[in-house]
Amino acid sequence: TAMEIDEELKKQNRDEAIIQYRNAIKTRPEWAEPHYKLAQTYQAAGDYVNAYSEYARAADLDPSNVDAQIRAGTLLLVAGEFAAARTRAELALRADPKNAPAHILLGNAHAGLNEPGSALRQIEQAITLEPSYAPAWTALGAVKFLGGRREDAAAAFHKAVELSPKSIDSRLALANFEWASGKVSEAESTLQAALAIDGANAAAHRTLALLYLSTNRAPSAEPHFKAL
């Protein structure tokens, strides 16, 4: 079983994990679980192309695997494949209509397709389902910002940080909003706070380094590039 493979792989490296899951798939190609586990392994290794393929295969074989649908859709979203991401979100919601992350994915897909009204409705639905779910507030901030409602966007981004103070993603979203709003010193402070939580976070180092370069402070950027 996949669980037995998992126990065995705790003692092995990631490359061996990939081999083991592939072997399991060869034995039973229609078995969704090893495709899902293989996708997680690829994602952990930073191989997002293969991760997407395996998440999609797992979701197609087992439509009840909402997480596989959402992860496949999220990778499509990052790649700019908004229509395909929307389809994955809709499939996830068909299996679990009250799944907040699926509503957020659908909202972000609508935003990418320049459908702000639909995007806002989906994200507000996610907040209704899980009012304390920080990513929903981050998504709301992004949609409000795109709609030119900066004060509402600021409130939403700050709400996300308030709900999940240790979330690097929430702080990065707030910092990017602050930077885009011309509040460079505030963005710098937010990014420094993120690195105080996780000093090895690559996205925080990268963003702060670029912020320093854009404000002609190359010496301040250097330690962050070295960290990367």
Side-chain angles (χ1 to χ4, degrees):
T1 68
M3 185 176 295
E4 290 171 339
I5 295 174
D6 290 344
E7 289 298 319
E8 181 65 23
L9 292 177
K10 286 180 181 178
K11 304 174 184 178
Q12 300 172 355
N13 61 33
R14 193 171 289 152
D15 290 338
E16 183 63 24
I18 290 172
I19 292 170
Q20 292 289 344
Y21 288 127
R22 281 178 173 172
N23 288 338
I25 290 168
K26 287 179 182 178
T27 303
R28 291 177 57 189
E30 77 289 352
W31 188 20
E33 190 173 1
H35 285 284
Y36 177 61
K37 296 288 187 179
L38 180 57
Q40 291 177 308
T41 307
Y42 277 134
Q43 186 172 13
D47 185 346
Y48 300 112
V49 173
N50 280 318
Y52 164 72
S53 296
E54 295 301 326
Y55 279 131
R57 183 62 176 153
D60 291 342
L61 289 169
D62 179 14
S64 68
N65 189 335
V66 174
D67 186 67
Q69 296 281 18
I70 292 172
R71 288 175 182 266
T74 300
L75 290 171
L76 286 167
L77 192 74
V78 172
E81 299 289 343
F82 302 120
R86 179 182 59 192
T87 298
R88 287 291 172 186
E90 290 170 344
L91 289 170
L93 287 170
R94 190 178 301 171
D96 183 4
K98 294 185 178 181
N99 188 286
H103 281 285
I104 294 170
L105 174 61
L106 184 54
N108 285 330
H110 280 302
L113 292 166
N114 197 26
E115 300 168 352
S118 297
L120 185 58
R121 283 192 295 273
Q122 291 300 323
I123 293 166
E124 287 177 339
Q125 179 67 14
I127 291 173
T128 299
L129 289 167
E130 293 191 35
S132 61
Y133 187 51
W137 290 94
T138 295
L140 180 64
V143 171
K144 294 288 188 181
F145 178 70
L146 290 173
R149 298 172 62 177
R150 296 201 174 198
E151 289 187 7
D152 291 342
F157 285 123
H158 281 287
K159 180 70 172 179
V161 173
E162 176 188 331
L163 289 169
S164 186
K166 292 186 179 180
S167 168
I168 302 300
D169 288 342
S170 295
R171 291 185 185 273
L172 284 172
L174 173 59
N176 281 316
F177 164 73
E178 291 167 335
W179 189 1
S181 300
K183 299 178 180 178
V184 176
S185 61
E186 291 182 20
E188 180 181 354
S189 296
T190 300
L191 291 167
Q192 289 172 341
L195 286 172
I197 296 168
D198 179 5
N201 187 274
H205 277 296
R206 184 179 300 108
T207 306
L208 191 52
L210 293 174
L211 183 147
Y212 284 137
L213 285 180
S214 73
T215 52
N216 299 315
R217 289 182 285 172
S220 295
E222 185 178 359
H224 299 287
F225 282 119
K226 286 183 177 180
L228 290 168

